[in-house]
Amino acid sequence: PYSADPTGVVDATAAIQSAMNDHDGDILTRTILYFPAGTYRLTDTLTLDTHDAVNGGSGRGIIFRGEGRDLVTLKLDNSASGFGNPVSPKVLVDFNEANDIGGWNNVAFMVHIRDLTIDVGSGNPGAIGLDFCASNTGGLMDVLVRSSDSGKTGKTGILLSTIPGPQLFKRVEVDGFDWGLETEGQPHYSTTIEFLTLKNCLSGGILNRKHSLAIRGLVTDSLGGPALYNQHADGFVTLLEAELADGPASSPAIDNNGFVYLRHITSTGYARALDDATVGPVPGANLSEWFTGPGEGLFDTTPFTSLHLPIEETPEPVPESPSSWVSVDSFGAATGDYSNDAPAIQAAINSMGPGQANEGKHTLYFPSVGRYDLDGGITIPAYVHRIVGTYSGIFPRNAAINTVPVFTIQGDGELLVIEELISLPSGPLRSTPFIQNTSNRDLVLRDLTCFAGQTYVNTGSGKLYLENVAGLSSRYWSNLPQPLPSAVPEFDLGGQDCWARQLDMEQKDLNLLNDGGDVWILGIKNEEDGTLLKTINGGRTELLGGVVMPLDVDDLTSPGFEVIDASASFVTAYHIGNGRTIYPVLIREERSGVAQTLAYDGTVYERSYTNGSGVRPAVLPLFSASVLTPAEHWRRNYFGTIANPGDAADAADPDLDGSINRLERAFGTDPTDPVSWTAPELSMIDITGSIYPALTFNRLVGGSGSTATYTAWGLDYSMEVSASLAPASWSSLDSDFVIEVAPVDLGDGLESVTIRSSQSISSGNPAFLRLKVD
């Protein structure tokens, strides 16, 4: 009803700002402001004030959602008033106004911008495209921020001022500006980013000060400086799978003055991949794995490495037109009247079953800004494939529901996606489980905030994908004694395999239990003093980035992380607020009944700032623990077992490409994909008329050896030469070979090397080469 003009002709600033002001809600209420396809002309800043002074600092927020990233543009006028001075820059879309008035900005819960473009136009060198902040859940999804200026001028594409996060950015692109992404302020929280593209940025890609960034899939092109400048000593960046292209030859791709964990980094055009303030220039254009070292371990010795668990992308449901979605309100789930809505919601679900009115429809939705009170649990059968909450609130309240979960997922079948819901159990029911999964279905939980109690319990066998999920602490919402026994652990995965992006867990108790499964986490945050991650019974947990923030450590016996007869690797930083403390035991590891601990005072690295008592927060650039051999990890990654027989056996060839598993592992190829196989290549090298045979091949990085022999991760590579092929004629002496091309890191865990015979060949002097792998 705000009549914002989508043609780009009439100024839409006032209309959009009016909609924002009318719907910014309170900390528990979020409204989606929808932009149909078109161009919306802006002449001044759009401002969301996330600070609510009237309600004692309680946060406010909204969601911007466009019809599509390339269909909706919020565009600033060319040479707009106030946007011309880079020394005094001005924000076009400001979702972080609390910073400007000294307010709280850790209460911007569930704030999103998605599916649109922000364009600062031309002739606006002082423009900041977007200043953004979300808390616990929220972020940017499918967003482009660009400068349309021919010289790509603009101050900053995306600014994270003061105390942003924790938040998730996914599929975000910045085109132009001095810096593509810039952070300021404090190291309290973190931003998790997956698939970020930065191009045509005049000074560089990312300028990070004290913030913690966890990034997977950074792509840069045509930058005027480093792709990543980690400027401050307290800055903490986890970066993996980065392609940093077409940089200036005078600059490193990554310039680090703080703490970094880097994995699978490739660069072109730059002088080298990395300059580090402590060790200096690091040779090479690519990095397979590099971290502010040395690493930490308890039972294991160097070399330390992360687990490198297989990474799966979050799956998407088969799309259905919203016209075919089934509304719970159509079955009498009236919002705001405080009646029991559980029967109506269940009736809406049942209507989608076989032989019912809505058979063949698979998406259930809750109208936006709804309140749904439940005096009973809800069952989700296999024919429901998606639940869209549009940020509605679920209020379990009756004592009867204390014995059952709010939602129980049942049956076998296709992927289930549950998204955009807020759970607010009341009174003694704050220990009620929110979601229990008893099915074998793969499950996506996305943009969920559970304000108290146990968030998720699994007894099923499918895979779990978490994006922007927060389980908050009961201490903020009730006077119940802590911890809550029935909320142990907050996320009980059992043996489920899980991939999590931006996971916030704040229960004053055990946060996540991995009992024998694989758990991969990109970006984490916690509060309270309970153990954050516990891995047992052969499970594997890999944490990459984020901030550990125990606000009140009353339980001095609980370690921050616990690993019992299992494997884990942790890359994380800590934060200590004023007057707060930290886990006395950062990590406890137990093997076969023998336990060792990594104490806080035994850490190698600390950030430079202190709490009121002079305590500095710790940093773990890498902790690793493994009860498996490299071969066992490899077999589990590809075949789901650590055992040697069958398809997983060293001598087996399950993809029938002619290469046995031992060679697939040695050369870094996929034993289940025959197309991936790459064999060593034979070449003839001419040196002043003499011909020398040579082999070029890939091998695992991180090993050691001599000219002819090399050992890495339990594999022995041996070059051998023979003049006759007779079994006893093969030789593997260092004097038999010359390294023609020194090892070159390929940035993906492999290095390429070329080794030739030291003796030339001729018609009367033949030679045969082979590479043996044991």
Side-chain angles (χ1 to χ4, degrees):
Y2 294 91
S3 301
D5 176 47
T7 68
V9 176
V10 179
D11 185 0
T13 310
I16 298 172
Q17 187 65 61
S18 180
M20 295 170 69
N21 295 343
D22 288 351
H23 295 284
D24 59 3
D26 58 27
I27 195 170
L28 304 179
T29 303
R30 292 294 171 262
T31 302
I32 298 171
L33 302 185
Y34 179 68
F35 292 79
T39 297
Y40 296 82
R41 178 187 170 199
L42 301 180
T43 57
D44 207 348
T45 302
L46 296 176
T47 302
L48 172 65
D49 181 3
T50 56
H51 176 267
D52 183 1
V54 175
N55 293 313
S58 177
R60 302 189 300 202
I62 55 175
I63 291 93
F64 271 13
R65 173 169 282 161
E67 190 170 345
R69 194 200 82 163
D70 299 325
L71 300 176
V72 174
T73 301
L74 308 181
K75 187 178 184 303
L76 178 64
D77 277 359
N78 296 338
S79 303
S81 176
F83 292 89
N85 185 1
V87 179
S88 180
K90 186 174 181 179
V91 179
L92 179 58
V93 180
D94 191 349
F95 269 50
N96 212 347
E97 180 64 19
N99 296 325
D100 301 332
I101 62 173
W104 301 1
N105 61 343
N106 61 341
V107 287
F109 293 173
M110 300 162 281
V111 174
H112 287 85
I113 298 178
R114 47 200 317 167
D115 302 306
L116 54 77
T117 292
I118 297 171
D119 189 336
V120 301
S122 177
N124 295 307
I128 297 172
L130 170 65
D131 187 358
F132 187 81
C133 174
S135 300
N136 293 342
T137 63
L140 306 178
M141 307 289 168
D142 297 295
V143 169
L144 167 63
V145 181
R146 70 185 176 207
S147 167
S148 293
D149 190 89
S150 60
K152 295 298 181 181
T153 60
K155 179 64 175 177
T156 304
I158 300 173
L159 175 65
L160 308 181
S161 59
T162 310
I163 315 177
Q167 55 193 358
L168 175 65
F169 295 178
K170 191 163 184 178
R171 296 182 298 273
V172 173
E173 181 178 341
V174 178
D175 183 1
F177 303 91
D178 289 340
W179 289 96
L181 175 68
E182 181 179 356
T183 74
E184 293 180 350
Q186 304 299 321
H188 294 62
Y189 307 123
S190 61
T191 298
T192 300
I193 303 175
E194 196 167 35
F195 310 129
L196 173 65
T197 299
L198 306 174
K199 60 185 182 182
N200 302 313
C201 304
L202 305 179
S203 296
I206 300 172
L207 172 57
N208 183 52
R209 294 181 176 90
K210 297 181 182 180
H211 197 46
S212 293
L213 295 168
I215 307 172
R216 173 181 174 241
L218 173 63
V219 175
T220 68
D221 189 18
S222 301
L223 305 184
L228 168 63
Y229 180 23
N230 196 30
Q231 183 189 63
H232 195 276
D234 287 333
F236 181 78
V237 179
T238 302
L239 177 62
L240 57 152
E241 298 178 15
E243 299 177 6
L244 316 177
D246 196 22
S250 59
S251 170
I254 300 169
D255 190 348
N256 176 51
N257 291 314
F259 302 95
V260 294
Y261 173 85
L262 309 171
R263 193 174 86 193
H264 294 179
I265 311 296
T266 63
S267 70
T268 58
Y270 288 100
R272 56 198 156 269
L274 174 66
D275 277 3
D276 181 78
T278 300
V279 304
V282 177
N286 306 322
L287 298 169
S288 283
E289 187 173 36
W290 196 98
F291 51 90
T292 305
E296 295 279 1
L298 293 171
F299 288 86
D300 299 316
T301 59
T302 56
F304 296 113
T305 182
S306 63
L307 290 184
H308 292 76
L309 295 184
I311 301 173
E312 291 196 8
E313 309 302 339
T314 304
E316 295 291 339
V318 176
E320 290 185 317
S321 170
S323 63
S324 68
W325 294 4
V326 177
S327 169
V328 297
D329 284 8
S330 297
F331 289 78
T335 64
D337 64 357
Y338 301 100
S339 62
N340 178 20
D341 294 311
I345 296 171
Q346 191 66 63
I349 291 174
N350 294 345
S351 77
M352 302 161 68
Q356 302 302 309
N358 289 312
E359 181 182 4
K361 298 179 180 180
H362 302 290
T363 299
L364 181 81
Y365 86 101
F366 294 73
S368 182
V369 202
R371 174 189 171 111
Y372 299 89
D373 296 279
L374 305 185
D375 293 341
I378 306 296
T379 298
I380 305 173
Y383 50 76
V384 177
H385 299 168
R386 186 183 185 190
I387 297 177
V388 181
T390 59
Y391 304 96
S392 294
I394 304 296
F395 290 75
R397 64 183 184 180
N398 189 286
I401 203 174
N402 199 36
T403 60
V404 297
V406 177
F407 291 106
T408 299
I409 303 169
Q410 297 180 339
D412 304 335
E414 298 184 25
L415 171 74
L416 172 63
V417 177
I418 303 176
E419 56 192 334
E420 300 176 1
L421 279 175
I422 308 167
S423 173
L424 299 109
S426 58
L429 305 183
R430 298 188 185 282
S431 60
T432 301
F434 183 40
I435 296 175
Q436 177 171 298
N437 183 18
T438 65
S439 75
N440 73 350
R441 306 173 66 184
D442 290 347
L443 174 64
V444 174
L445 302 180
R446 182 162 53 201
D447 299 329
L448 301 183
T449 301
C450 184
F451 272 89
Q454 190 171 33
T455 302
Y456 177 78
V457 181
N458 174 66
T459 58
S461 58
K463 298 176 181 178
L464 175 66
Y465 305 85
L466 303 174
E467 284 193 352
N468 246 339
V469 174
L472 307 188
S473 174
S474 299
R475 70 183 287 267
Y476 299 121
W477 312 100
S478 74
N479 294 319
L480 294 177
Q482 305 291 328
L484 295 174
S486 59
V488 181
E490 189 171 39
F491 289 79
D492 187 348
L493 306 187
Q496 189 169 35
D497 290 346
C498 172
W499 291 264
R501 281 93 169 162
Q502 206 300 90
L503 179 60
D504 178 24
M505 302 181 291
E506 302 183 14
Q507 186 65 53
K508 191 178 179 66
D509 212 325
L510 174 60
N511 285 195
L512 185 148
L513 175 64
N514 173 12
D515 186 357
D518 280 355
V519 176
W520 178 90
I521 303 172
L522 180 69
I524 204 166
K525 177 244 178 183
N526 80 316
E527 296 182 19
E528 309 299 342
D529 58 6
T531 296
L532 181 55
L533 302 173
K534 184 174 183 177
T535 310
I536 61 176
N537 293 331
R540 302 191 298 176
T541 300
E542 181 173 26
L543 169 61
L544 294 163
V547 172
V548 175
M549 192 177 68
L551 291 182
D552 295 294
V553 181
D554 304 320
D555 178 5
L556 301 182
T557 63
S558 294
F561 300 99
E562 191 167 20
V563 185
I564 302 176
D565 295 321
S567 302
S569 60
F570 305 127
V571 176
T572 193
Y574 292 73
H575 170 69
I576 304 178
N578 190 40
R580 308 296 188 179
T581 184
I582 197 170
Y583 300 102
V585 176
L586 298 179
I587 300 170
R588 178 183 181 273
E589 184 183 359
E590 180 181 320
R591 296 189 186 181
S592 301
V594 178
Q596 296 191 40
T597 60
L598 178 65
Y600 162 71
D601 57 7
T603 58
V604 176
Y605 292 106
E606 295 175 343
R607 284 174 152 178
S608 64
Y609 62 92
T610 66
N611 67 358
S613 303
V615 178
R616 293 181 174 180
V619 179
L620 290 175
L622 179 63
F623 172 90
S624 63
S626 177
V627 296
L628 303 181
T629 67
E632 288 172 332
H633 278 296
W634 186 85
R635 292 188 200 108
R636 180 161 168 176
N637 289 346
Y638 284 104
F639 301 105
T641 178
I642 64 173
N644 199 8
D647 282 349
D650 285 349
D653 179 17
D655 60 359
L656 304 177
D657 61 359
S659 175
I660 62 173
N661 285 336
R662 183 188 300 117
L663 296 182
E664 299 265 16
R665 183 162 77 92
F667 300 140
T669 52
D670 184 342
T672 66
D673 178 11
V675 177
S676 76
W677 169 246
T678 302
E681 294 185 2
L682 176 68
S683 62
M684 300 296 173
I685 298 175
D686 188 333
I687 302 177
T688 63
S690 297
I691 305 300
Y692 298 83
L695 282 180
T696 299
F697 58 95
N698 296 341
R699 63 191 188 187
L700 302 177
V701 299
S704 61
S706 57
T707 303
T709 60
Y710 177 82
T711 298
W713 308 112
L715 293 171
D716 295 322
Y717 302 73
S718 299
M719 284 289 293
E720 296 184 342
V721 63
S722 169
S724 65
L725 290 179
S729 67
W730 292 99
S731 175
S732 188
L733 299 175
D734 284 344
S735 58
D736 292 328
F737 297 96
V738 173
I739 298 178
E740 181 67 21
V741 178
V744 176
D745 195 328
L746 301 178
D748 58 359
L750 301 172
E751 62 185 18
S752 174
V753 65
T754 300
I755 300 176
R756 67 170 174 86
S757 170
S758 60
Q759 300 296 319
S760 63
I761 60 173
S762 63
S763 59
N765 184 33
F768 301 89
L769 299 186
R770 74 180 183 187
L771 176 62
K772 185 177 181 181
V773 180
D774 291 318

